Structure formats: structure tokens, C-alpha cells
Amino acid sequence: MSEQAAGATRSPRRGMCAAVLALEGIVVALSTPVMVVVSGVSLGTALAVGLGVAAACLVLAGMLRSEAAYVAGWVVQVAAIGIGVVVPMMFLLGTVFALLWGTAFFLGRRIEQDRAAAYAAYEARDSGDPA
């Protein structure tokens, strides 16, 4: 397989991490009304925190071509867990999403490495064959 064709494949890490961030963004956004109604947080603070973290999730989901976005994704996981200070259920939900993020990140990276090794082995075998 040519180098161009190998580079054209989709990144499993990026796809899985983007899915986790998108779903997490929805959950964090839905925690905003809970902050206002149940926890008594002011509307402005709830909107800034809840929708800010949700927007960060959605923006990062689209920026995952950059390695810096993955680092920022880890920061968002900490922020989502931190919302648990105001909405205690977010301790659980934030932890679940952090575990999903970690699984998607490390499993996706391993799949990418295995795929690259398979492509390299195929290229080596193909280029060594005098047919």
C-alpha cells in the first residue's frame, strides 16, 4: 500500500475521542439548568461554566487533528469532573467520561501503531518481491 493510501485512512483515535467529546458536551450542557435550578448557582455563572465546558468539548472534537487538542481534551476531563463541586452527579458522570476518553485515547493510539506496523510490513514485503 502506498504512503498516500496509508495516510488517507481515518484515525481511529480521532474518531473515538471526537465521539466521546461530542457526547460529553451534550451531558455537560444539560448540567447547566441543574446548576441553576437545583444547586442555586447564578444564571450567569452556570451559563459560563456549563456552556463554556460544553463548547470546549465540541470545539476540541473538531480540532483533534492536532496533538495539542488531545492535551486540552485531558484538561476538559478534569473540568467536567470539577463541575461536580456544584452538581455532585457530575463527579460520577465526569469520571465516566474521563474513563471513556482515556480508553478512546490509548486504544486508538494502539490501533494506529498496529496499523502503521502492518502497513510497513506490507510495504517491506511488497517492495522486496521481484514480481
Side-chain angles (χ1 to χ4, degrees):
M1 180 171 285
S2 71
E3 190 173 326
Q4 181 183 8
T9 60
R10 293 187 176 190
S11 167
R13 179 176 65 155
R14 186 171 65 226
M16 291 187 295
C17 287
V20 169
L21 284 172
L23 292 172
E24 185 174 14
I26 293 167
V27 169
V28 171
L30 290 173
S31 74
T32 302
V34 175
M35 283 188 235
V36 175
V37 175
V38 176
S39 298
V41 176
S42 70
L43 181 62
T45 302
L47 288 174
V49 173
L51 296 183
V53 174
C57 287
L58 298 176
V59 168
L60 285 174
M63 294 177 55
L64 289 176
R65 293 182 193 273
S66 165
E67 287 298 316
Y70 289 101
V71 173
W74 287 107
V75 173
V76 165
Q77 301 313 309
V78 172
I81 294 170
I83 294 174
V85 171
V86 179
V87 180
M89 181 56 89
M90 283 304 294
F91 282 129
L92 174 66
L93 292 173
T95 301
V96 167
F97 276 106
L99 291 171
L100 289 170
W101 171 262
T103 301
F105 180 84
F106 292 114
L107 183 62
R109 187 169 63 180
R110 174 130 187 220
I111 292 169
E112 287 174 350
Q113 291 169 347
D114 290 349
R115 183 183 285 174
Y119 285 143
Y122 178 79
E123 286 290 331
R125 186 190 71 196
D126 195 37
S127 65
D129 190 10

